[in-house]
């Protein structure tokens, strides 16, 4: 029986990454070995030097995936990488498959990924960029997670943010060279997939395997707290897009979003603080 190496992030699934990897042995036959990717200095070299008959499986959530794609040359992987969802939200896996599947070949989904440049740093991303109250929710969630082991209630954070704490921004949005001004923007994410935030279907028409590599920007804007609060839960089923008076959807390949006051931004769930603008290229 050939070896199978389970690559895992110990911080996944509320610091249960190793346990999730050990549970995954039931899905793929082979002699299991476990490697903590946070302790592998050169992940590309590790993959290249693994014996040809050894299988590799990545176990983790969206954050683990983001870490992986930013550490390896995804367009020239020399071998197949399997992926087993082991996070709390698993938006990437939900976007491309169904609950009956336990793992998938990963390679085709991580080629030619878009990049985001924010605060002078450029990174690849798999799912999307959240900017506005979605970034704010990740910021508050990080604070709560640092002080408690209880699961973070992002829906509750969003509701309190809409009512009391988060103030909408005026935004300048440029898509493929065309610029427009937006008043009272609550959120302006740019998406490679349909989901983010643990099941929010923010861009229901987005296809991550689109032949033209187009991305989708979704801007919720203009309305007051009460109406925004009423429409916001519809994001979980993608029903917010029906409210065209306050939800604008723009597809394209190059995006720049600038707010008149900085706020937090999230990249596949990873929070970046004090952001005034971001640029995405497909």
């Amino acid at each position: 029986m050939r070896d199978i190496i389970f690559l895992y992030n110990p911080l996944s699934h509320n610091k249960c990454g190793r346990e999730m990897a050990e549970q995954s042995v039931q899905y793929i036959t082979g002699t299991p070995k476990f490697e903590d990717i946070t302790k592998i200095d050169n992940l590309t070299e590790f993959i290249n030097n693994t014996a040809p008959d050894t299988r590799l499986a990545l176990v983790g959530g969206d954050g683990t995936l983001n870490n992986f794609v930013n550490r390896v040359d995804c367009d020239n992987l020399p071998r197949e990488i399997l992926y087993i969802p082991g996070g709390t939200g698993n938006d990437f896996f939900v976007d491309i498959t169904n609950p009956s599947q336990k793992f998938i070949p990963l390679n085709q989904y991580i080629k030619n990924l878009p990049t985001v440049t924010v605060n002078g740093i450029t990174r690849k991303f798999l799912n999307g960029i959240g900017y506005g109250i979605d970034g704010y929710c990740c910021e508050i969630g990080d604070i709560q997670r640092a002080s408690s082991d209880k699961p973070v209630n992002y829906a509750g954070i969003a509701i309190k943010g809409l009512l009391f704490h988060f103030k909408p921004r005026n935004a300048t949005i440029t898509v493929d060279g065309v610029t427009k001004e937006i008043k009272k923007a609550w959120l302006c994410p740019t998406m490679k997939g349909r989901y983010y935030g643990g099941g929010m279907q923010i861009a229901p028409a987005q296809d991550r395997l689109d032949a033209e590599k187009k991305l989708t920007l979704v801007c919720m804007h203009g309305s007051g707290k009460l109406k925004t609060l009423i429409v916001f839960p519809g994001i979980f089923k993608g029903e917010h897009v029906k409210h065209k008076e306050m939800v604008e959807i723009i597809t394209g390949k190059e995006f720049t979003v600038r707010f008149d006051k900085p706020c937090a931004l999230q990249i596949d769930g990873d929070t970046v603080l004090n952001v005034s603008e971001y640029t995405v290229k497909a």
Side-chain angles (χ1 to χ4, degrees), residues 137-147 152 154 269-271:
C137 289
C138 287
E139 177 185 9
I140 302 303
D142 288 348
I143 294 171
Q144 293 183 1
R145 193 178 294 108
S147 60
V152 176
Y154 287 103
D270 185 17
T271 310

Side-chain angles (χ1 to χ4, degrees), residues 173 175 180 182 187-191 193 201-207 215-221 235 238-252 255:
I173 296 173
V175 180
K180 67 191 315 178
I182 300 290
L187 50 78
C188 288
T190 297
M191 300 298 297
Q201 193 176 172
I202 186 69
Q206 172 63 21
D207 177 6
L215 309 175
T216 299
L217 184 145
V218 181
C219 187
M220 182 177 287
H221 64 91
I235 290 175
E239 295 176 348
H240 61 294
V241 299
K242 299 176 183 178
H243 297 270
K244 299 183 184 302
E245 76 283 0
M246 60 181 292
V247 178
E248 187 159 359
I249 298 173
I250 309 171
T251 60
F255 304 77

Side-chain angles (χ1 to χ4, degrees):
M1 187 179 294
R2 60 177 174 170
D3 291 342
I4 176 166
I5 297 177
F6 293 90
L7 301 168
Y8 71 94
N9 181 344
L11 301 179
S12 291
H13 204 79
N14 294 319
K15 301 181 181 180
C16 294
R18 171 74 187 218
E19 290 89 335
M20 297 301 294
E22 291 174 349
Q23 292 176 22
S24 298
V25 300
Q26 62 185 302
Y27 305 133
I28 306 173
T29 57
T31 302
K33 296 182 178 180
F34 302 94
E35 292 285 349
D36 178 350
I37 63 170
T38 66
K39 294 182 178 179
I40 300 174
D41 292 330
N42 190 323
L43 197 51
T44 297
E45 187 176 276
F46 177 88
I47 293 171
N48 291 341
N49 291 339
T50 302
D53 62 342
T54 297
R55 303 181 83 183
L56 292 173
L58 180 65
V59 185
D62 298 304
T64 301
L65 281 166
N66 186 276
N67 176 280
F68 182 85
V69 301
N70 279 285
R71 293 177 60 193
V72 301
D73 181 1
C74 300
D75 299 328
N76 297 290
L77 280 169
R79 60 194 304 152
E80 181 181 71
I81 307 293
L82 303 176
Y83 172 64
I84 302 170
T88 51
N90 300 315
D91 287 313
F92 168 76
F93 198 75
V94 170
D95 188 34
I96 64 173
T97 187
N98 60 73
S100 65
Q101 287 186 264
K102 301 302 182 183
F103 65 91
I104 58 161
L106 183 62
N107 298 48
Q108 68 167 321
Y109 297 104
I110 58 177
K111 291 181 178 180
N112 302 309
L113 289 174
T115 61
V116 56
T117 300
V118 57
N119 291 354
I121 298 173
T122 299
R123 322 169 31 177
K124 293 180 283 187
F125 66 94
L126 272 160
N127 295 327
I129 310 305
Y131 192 36
I133 195 165
D134 38 12
Y136 164 84
C137 289
C138 287
E139 177 185 9
I140 302 303
D142 288 348
I143 294 171
Q144 293 183 1
R145 193 178 294 108
S147 60
S148 173
D149 292 331
K150 294 181 180 179
V152 176
N153 183 352
Y154 287 103
I157 295 172
I159 291 171
K160 290 179 181 178
L162 283 166
L163 286 174
F164 306 112
H165 306 299
F166 183 81
K167 306 298 182 186
R169 271 67 165 168
N170 294 325
T172 301
I173 296 173
T174 302
V175 180
D176 294 342
V178 178
T179 299
K180 67 191 315 178
E181 303 293 331
I182 300 290
K183 300 294 185 183
K184 293 180 65 176
W186 290 96
L187 50 78
C188 288
T190 297
M191 300 298 297
K192 170 70 171 174
R194 292 178 295 164
Y195 294 89
Y196 73 172
M200 294 182 178
Q201 193 176 172
I202 186 69
Q206 172 63 21
D207 177 6
R208 68 171 57 248
L209 295 180
D210 176 64
E212 297 182 46
K213 305 293 189 293
K214 285 188 174 182
L215 309 175
T216 299
L217 184 145
V218 181
C219 187
M220 182 177 287
H221 64 91
S223 295
K225 293 181 179 180
L226 183 57
K227 184 170 183 180
T228 303
L229 184 61
I230 292 171
V231 172
F232 190 84
I235 290 175
F236 286 93
K237 294 184 178 180
E239 295 176 348
H240 61 294
V241 299
K242 299 176 183 178
H243 297 270
K244 299 183 184 302
E245 76 283 0
M246 60 181 292
V247 178
E248 187 159 359
I249 298 173
I250 309 171
T251 60
K253 294 186 176 181
E254 293 193 15
F255 304 77
T256 297
V257 179
R258 183 180 301 111
F259 281 179
D260 62 350
K261 294 181 182 179
C263 65
L265 172 148
Q266 64 88 12
I267 305 170
D268 289 342
D270 185 17
T271 310
V272 183
L273 302 177
N274 198 36
V275 176
S276 294
E277 70 173 74
Y278 74 85
T279 298
V280 163
K281 293 185 178 181

